[in-house]
Amino acid sequence: MIKYSYTIMYVANVEATVKFYEEAFGFMRKFLTPEEDYGELISGETTIAFAHLDLATSNLSKGYQQVNNEKPFGIELGFVVEDVTKAIEKVVQAGGKIYEEQKVKPWGQTVGYVLDNNGFLIELCTAM
């Protein structure tokens, strides 16, 4: 059996990113190395983790595409929230950006898209 355990995102400043996710989403810090090159959040069953760009370079000998704040990758983190408007406001206050204004989908779900402080795409949505 395979269990999805964690997502690691490579970032320029791990501590600042952990702080952003604490402020924007209320996640709690699980772990941060003394070198501040790797950190994890308590986010439910699946851990959200951040590693410094230097670790990406050492782990990925063929290279990788670094995230930017202009156009996100074709992947997103999805967070279910009770109030999308309030969740988006917290992201912006923490230093994130609105990528797509919230909309109500034909099936009744409210969905909005934001970028974190690195440019990673996050969907904020109500439960289906």
Side-chain angles (χ1 to χ4, degrees):
M1 181 177 121
I2 295 175
K3 180 180 178 187
Y4 182 47
S5 297
Y6 56 88
T7 297
I8 299 174
M9 299 183 300
Y10 293 106
V11 300
N13 187 324
V14 173
E15 203 284 327
T17 303
V18 168
K19 185 177 178 184
F20 171 84
Y21 278 75
E22 289 172 327
E23 291 176 7
F25 306 110
F27 293 128
M28 292 179 57
R29 187 176 305 214
K30 179 179 177 182
F31 176 75
L32 184 65
T33 62
E35 303 82 13
E36 297 184 353
D37 62 352
Y38 180 81
E40 295 181 349
L41 296 168
I42 298 170
S43 58
E45 274 193 49
T46 304
T47 298
I48 301 171
F50 307 98
H52 192 272
L53 300 175
D54 292 344
L55 286 177
T57 302
S58 69
N59 290 341
L60 306 170
S61 63
K62 295 180 183 178
Y64 67 100
Q65 184 174 334
Q66 189 174 333
V67 70
N68 62 54
N69 269 308
E70 294 174 26
K71 200 175 258 191
F73 296 132
I75 187 170
E76 64 187 56
L77 297 178
F79 299 151
V80 174
V81 299
E82 288 186 26
D83 186 325
V84 174
T85 301
K86 285 183 182 176
I88 289 173
E89 287 172 3
K90 282 186 74 174
V91 168
V92 171
Q93 288 172 357
K97 299 177 185 174
I98 297 171
Y99 192 71
E100 291 285 339
E101 295 289 341
Q102 70 182 30
K103 297 176 184 163
V104 177
K105 299 292 186 175
W107 51 89
Q109 183 184 36
T110 302
V111 177
Y113 294 90
V114 295
L115 298 177
D116 77 358
N117 62 323
N118 299 286
F120 287 105
L121 183 63
I122 299 169
E123 175 184 336
L124 299 170
C125 62
T126 55
M128 295 212 337

